[in-house]
Amino acid sequence: MRPEVQTFVADGPLPDWEADEEEVDRRVKQLEAISAPVTRNEAQALAACFGPDDCYGVAWSLLHLIETSPSPVPAVAPPGPDADDWHHTLWHRWGNHRLTGEDLTR
């Protein structure tokens, strides 16, 4: 995993709308430092970084970066009932809602 991805992931989930401007700007700069495309492993690690809301649109940028991976995220099974909206959005945007787990492991 590239160092810039490791840095972003190490800082955890994106902050919510109540975060101060400096924190949001710092996370934006971290995200912008990651060049596309990302690997499957990087995409899976980045998918753990969604926060409770869209973080002033930063979560959409994160989603678009994850989508540059050559493999769908999540890759094997649909998100569970406790998954957040971002994981469901990724699942549907990849078109996985039409696939079974067997299709995705071939």
Side-chain angles (χ1 to χ4, degrees), residues 24-69:
V24 175
D25 287 345
R26 185 178 67 77
R27 295 309 301 268
V28 167
K29 288 177 184 164
Q30 286 178 330
L31 191 59
E32 289 174 344
I34 303 169
S35 61
V38 297
T39 67
R40 179 179 183 205
N41 289 341
E42 290 172 337
Q44 289 175 330
L46 290 167
C49 294
F50 288 108
D53 57 38
D54 77 345
C55 187
Y56 298 99
V58 180
W60 282 106
S61 296
L62 175 60
L63 182 131
H64 294 310
L65 181 62
I66 292 168
E67 288 179 322
T68 68
S69 168

Coordinates of all heavy atoms in Angstrom, one line a residue, residues 24-69:
V24 N -10.9 19.5 8.1 CA -11.5 19.1 6.8 C -10.5 19.4 5.7 O -10.2 18.5 4.8 CB -12.8 19.8 6.5 CG1 -13.3 19.6 5.1 CG2 -13.9 19.5 7.6
D25 N -9.8 20.5 5.7 CA -8.8 20.9 4.8 C -7.6 19.9 4.8 O -7.1 19.5 3.7 CB -8.3 22.3 5.0 CG -9.3 23.4 4.6 OD1 -10.2 23.1 3.9 OD2 -9.1 24.5 5.0
R26 N -7.2 19.5 6.0 CA -6.1 18.5 6.1 C -6.5 17.2 5.5 O -5.7 16.6 4.7 CB -5.8 18.3 7.6 CG -4.6 17.4 7.9 CD -4.3 17.3 9.4 NE -5.3 16.6 10.1 CZ -5.4 15.3 10.0 NH1 -4.6 14.5 9.4 NH2 -6.4 14.7 10.7
R27 N -7.7 16.7 5.7 CA -8.1 15.5 5.1 C -8.3 15.6 3.6 O -8.0 14.7 2.8 CB -9.5 15.0 5.7 CG -9.4 14.6 7.2 CD -8.3 13.7 7.6 NE -8.3 12.4 6.9 CZ -8.9 11.3 7.4 NH1 -9.5 11.3 8.5 NH2 -8.8 10.2 6.7
V28 N -8.7 16.7 3.1 CA -8.8 17.0 1.6 C -7.4 16.9 1.0 O -7.2 16.2 0.0 CB -9.5 18.3 1.3 CG1 -9.3 18.7 -0.1 CG2 -10.9 18.3 1.7
K29 N -6.4 17.5 1.6 CA -5.1 17.5 1.1 C -4.5 16.1 1.1 O -3.8 15.6 0.2 CB -4.2 18.4 1.9 CG -4.4 19.9 1.6 CD -3.6 20.8 2.5 CE -4.0 22.2 2.2 NZ -3.5 23.2 3.1
Q30 N -4.8 15.3 2.2 CA -4.4 13.9 2.2 C -5.0 13.1 1.1 O -4.3 12.3 0.4 CB -4.8 13.2 3.5 CG -4.0 13.6 4.7 CD -4.6 13.0 6.0 OE1 -5.8 12.7 6.1 NE2 -3.7 12.7 7.0
L31 N -6.3 13.3 0.8 CA -7.0 12.6 -0.2 C -6.5 13.0 -1.6 O -6.3 12.1 -2.4 CB -8.5 12.9 -0.1 CG -9.4 12.0 -0.9 CD1 -9.3 10.5 -0.6 CD2 -10.9 12.5 -0.7
E32 N -6.2 14.3 -1.8 CA -5.7 14.8 -3.1 C -4.3 14.2 -3.4 O -3.9 14.2 -4.5 CB -5.7 16.3 -3.1 CG -7.1 16.8 -3.2 CD -7.2 18.4 -3.1 OE1 -6.2 19.0 -2.6 OE2 -8.2 18.9 -3.5
A33 N -3.6 13.8 -2.3 CA -2.2 13.3 -2.5 C -2.2 11.9 -3.1 O -1.2 11.4 -3.5 CB -1.4 13.3 -1.2
I34 N -3.4 11.2 -3.1 CA -3.5 9.9 -3.5 C -3.8 9.9 -5.0 O -4.9 10.4 -5.4 CB -4.6 9.1 -2.7 CG1 -4.2 9.1 -1.3 CG2 -4.7 7.7 -3.3 CD1 -5.4 8.6 -0.4
S35 N -3.0 9.4 -5.8 CA -3.2 9.4 -7.3 C -4.0 8.1 -7.7 O -3.9 7.1 -7.1 CB -1.9 9.4 -8.1 OG -1.1 8.3 -7.8
A36 N -4.9 8.3 -8.6 CA -5.7 7.2 -9.2 C -4.9 6.5 -10.3 O -4.1 7.2 -11.0 CB -7.0 7.8 -9.7
P37 N -5.1 5.3 -10.5 CA -6.1 4.4 -9.8 C -5.5 3.9 -8.5 O -4.3 3.9 -8.4 CB -6.3 3.3 -10.9 CG -5.0 3.2 -11.6 CD -4.5 4.6 -11.7
V38 N -6.4 3.4 -7.7 CA -6.0 2.7 -6.5 C -6.1 1.2 -6.7 O -6.8 0.7 -7.5 CB -6.8 3.1 -5.2 CG1 -6.6 4.6 -5.0 CG2 -8.3 2.8 -5.4
T39 N -5.3 0.5 -5.9 CA -5.3 -1.0 -6.0 C -6.6 -1.5 -5.2 O -7.2 -0.7 -4.5 CB -4.1 -1.6 -5.4 OG1 -4.1 -1.4 -4.0 CG2 -2.8 -1.1 -6.0
R40 N -6.8 -2.8 -5.4 CA -8.0 -3.4 -4.7 C -7.8 -3.2 -3.2 O -8.7 -2.9 -2.4 CB -8.2 -4.8 -5.1 CG -9.3 -5.5 -4.4 CD -9.4 -6.9 -4.8 NE -10.6 -7.5 -4.2 CZ -10.7 -8.8 -4.0 NH1 -9.8 -9.6 -4.4 NH2 -11.8 -9.3 -3.4
N41 N -6.5 -3.6 -2.7 CA -6.3 -3.5 -1.3 C -6.4 -2.0 -0.8 O -6.9 -1.8 0.3 CB -4.9 -4.0 -1.0 CG -4.8 -5.5 -1.1 OD1 -5.8 -6.2 -1.1 ND2 -3.6 -6.0 -1.3
E42 N -5.9 -1.1 -1.6 CA -6.0 0.3 -1.2 C -7.5 0.7 -1.1 O -7.9 1.4 -0.2 CB -5.2 1.2 -2.1 CG -3.7 1.1 -2.0 CD -3.0 1.8 -3.1 OE1 -3.5 2.1 -4.2 OE2 -1.8 2.1 -2.9
A43 N -8.3 0.3 -2.1 CA -9.7 0.6 -2.1 C -10.4 0.1 -0.9 O -11.2 0.8 -0.3 CB -10.3 0.1 -3.4
Q44 N -10.1 -1.1 -0.6 CA -10.7 -1.7 0.6 C -10.4 -1.0 1.9 O -11.2 -0.8 2.7 CB -10.4 -3.2 0.7 CG -11.0 -4.1 -0.4 CD -10.6 -5.5 -0.3 OE1 -9.5 -5.8 0.0 NE2 -11.5 -6.4 -0.8
A45 N -9.1 -0.6 2.0 CA -8.7 0.2 3.2 C -9.3 1.5 3.2 O -9.8 2.0 4.3 CB -7.1 0.3 3.2
L46 N -9.4 2.2 2.1 CA -10.0 3.5 2.0 C -11.5 3.5 2.3 O -12.1 4.4 2.9 CB -9.8 4.1 0.6 CG -8.4 4.6 0.3 CD1 -8.2 4.8 -1.2 CD2 -8.0 5.8 1.1
A47 N -12.2 2.3 1.9 CA -13.6 2.2 2.2 C -13.9 2.2 3.7 O -15.1 2.5 4.0 CB -14.1 0.9 1.5
A48 N -13.0 2.0 4.5 CA -13.2 2.0 5.9 C -13.1 3.4 6.5 O -13.3 3.7 7.7 CB -12.1 1.1 6.7
C49 N -12.9 4.4 5.6 CA -12.7 5.8 6.1 C -13.9 6.7 5.9 O -13.7 7.9 6.1 CB -11.4 6.4 5.3 SG -9.9 5.6 5.8
F50 N -15.0 6.2 5.5 CA -16.2 7.0 5.4 C -16.6 7.4 6.9 O -16.6 6.6 7.8 CB -17.3 6.3 4.7 CG -17.1 6.1 3.3 CD1 -16.8 4.9 2.7 CD2 -17.2 7.2 2.4 CE1 -16.6 4.8 1.3 CE2 -17.0 7.1 1.1 CZ -16.7 5.9 0.5
G51 N -17.1 8.6 7.0 CA -17.5 9.1 8.3 C -19.0 9.1 8.4 O -19.7 8.4 7.5
P52 N -19.6 9.8 9.4 CA -21.0 9.7 9.6 C -21.9 10.5 8.6 O -23.1 10.4 8.5 CB -21.2 10.3 11.0 CG -20.0 11.2 11.1 CD -18.9 10.5 10.4
D53 N -21.2 11.4 7.8 CA -21.9 12.2 6.8 C -21.0 12.4 5.6 O -20.0 11.7 5.5 CB -22.5 13.5 7.4 CG -21.4 14.4 8.0 OD1 -20.3 14.4 7.5 OD2 -21.7 15.0 9.0
D54 N -21.4 13.3 4.7 CA -20.5 13.5 3.5 C -19.4 14.4 3.7 O -18.6 14.7 2.8 CB -21.4 13.9 2.3 CG -21.8 15.4 2.4 OD1 -21.7 16.0 3.4 OD2 -22.3 15.9 1.3
C55 N -19.1 15.0 4.9 CA -18.0 15.8 5.2 C -17.8 16.9 4.2 O -16.7 17.0 3.6 CB -16.7 14.9 5.4 SG -15.3 15.8 6.0
Y56 N -18.8 17.7 4.0 CA -18.8 18.8 3.0 C -18.4 18.3 1.6 O -17.7 19.0 0.9 CB -17.9 19.9 3.5 CG -18.3 20.5 4.8 CD1 -17.7 20.1 6.0 CD2 -19.3 21.4 4.8 CE1 -18.1 20.6 7.2 CE2 -19.7 22.0 6.0 CZ -19.1 21.6 7.2 OH -19.6 22.1 8.4
G57 N -18.8 17.1 1.2 CA -18.5 16.6 -0.1 C -17.2 15.8 -0.2 O -17.0 15.1 -1.2
V58 N -16.4 15.8 0.8 CA -15.2 15.0 0.8 C -15.4 13.5 0.6 O -14.7 12.8 -0.1 CB -14.3 15.3 2.0 CG1 -13.0 14.5 2.0 CG2 -14.0 16.8 2.2
A59 N -16.5 13.0 1.2 CA -16.8 11.6 1.1 C -17.1 11.2 -0.3 O -16.8 10.1 -0.8 CB -18.0 11.2 2.0
W60 N -17.7 12.1 -1.1 CA -17.9 11.8 -2.5 C -16.6 11.7 -3.3 O -16.4 10.8 -4.2 CB -18.8 12.9 -3.2 CG -20.2 12.7 -2.8 CD1 -21.0 13.4 -1.9 CD2 -21.1 11.6 -3.3 NE1 -22.2 12.9 -1.9 CE2 -22.3 11.8 -2.7 CE3 -20.9 10.6 -4.2 CZ2 -23.4 11.0 -2.9 CZ3 -22.0 9.7 -4.4 CH2 -23.2 9.9 -3.8
S61 N -15.6 12.6 -2.9 CA -14.3 12.4 -3.6 C -13.6 11.1 -3.2 O -13.0 10.5 -4.0 CB -13.4 13.6 -3.1 OG -13.9 14.8 -3.5
L62 N -13.8 10.7 -1.9 CA -13.3 9.4 -1.5 C -14.0 8.3 -2.3 O -13.3 7.4 -2.8 CB -13.5 9.3 0.0 CG -13.1 7.9 0.6 CD1 -11.7 7.6 0.4 CD2 -13.5 7.9 2.1
L63 N -15.3 8.3 -2.4 CA -16.0 7.3 -3.2 C -15.5 7.2 -4.6 O -15.2 6.1 -5.1 CB -17.5 7.6 -3.1 CG -18.4 6.6 -3.9 CD1 -19.5 6.2 -3.0 CD2 -18.9 7.1 -5.2
H64 N -15.3 8.4 -5.3 CA -14.8 8.4 -6.6 C -13.4 7.8 -6.7 O -13.1 7.1 -7.7 CB -14.9 9.8 -7.2 CG -16.2 10.3 -7.4 ND1 -17.3 9.7 -8.0 CD2 -16.8 11.5 -7.0 CE1 -18.4 10.4 -7.9 NE2 -18.1 11.5 -7.3
L65 N -12.6 8.1 -5.8 CA -11.2 7.5 -5.8 C -11.3 6.0 -5.6 O -10.6 5.2 -6.3 CB -10.4 8.1 -4.7 CG -9.0 7.6 -4.5 CD1 -8.2 7.9 -5.8 CD2 -8.3 8.2 -3.3
I66 N -12.1 5.5 -4.7 CA -12.3 4.1 -4.5 C -12.8 3.4 -5.8 O -12.3 2.3 -6.2 CB -13.3 3.8 -3.3 CG1 -12.6 4.2 -2.0 CG2 -13.7 2.3 -3.3 CD1 -13.6 4.2 -0.8
E67 N -13.6 4.1 -6.5 CA -14.1 3.5 -7.8 C -13.1 3.4 -8.9 O -13.3 2.7 -9.9 CB -15.3 4.4 -8.3 CG -16.5 4.3 -7.5 CD -17.7 5.1 -8.0 OE1 -17.4 6.3 -8.4 OE2 -18.8 4.7 -7.9
T68 N -11.9 4.0 -8.7 CA -10.8 3.8 -9.7 C -10.2 2.4 -9.6 O -9.4 2.0 -10.4 CB -9.8 4.9 -9.6 OG1 -9.0 4.8 -8.4 CG2 -10.4 6.3 -9.8
S69 N -10.5 1.7 -8.5 CA -9.9 0.3 -8.3 C -10.4 -0.6 -9.4 O -11.6 -0.5 -9.9 CB -10.4 -0.2 -7.0 OG -10.1 -1.6 -6.9

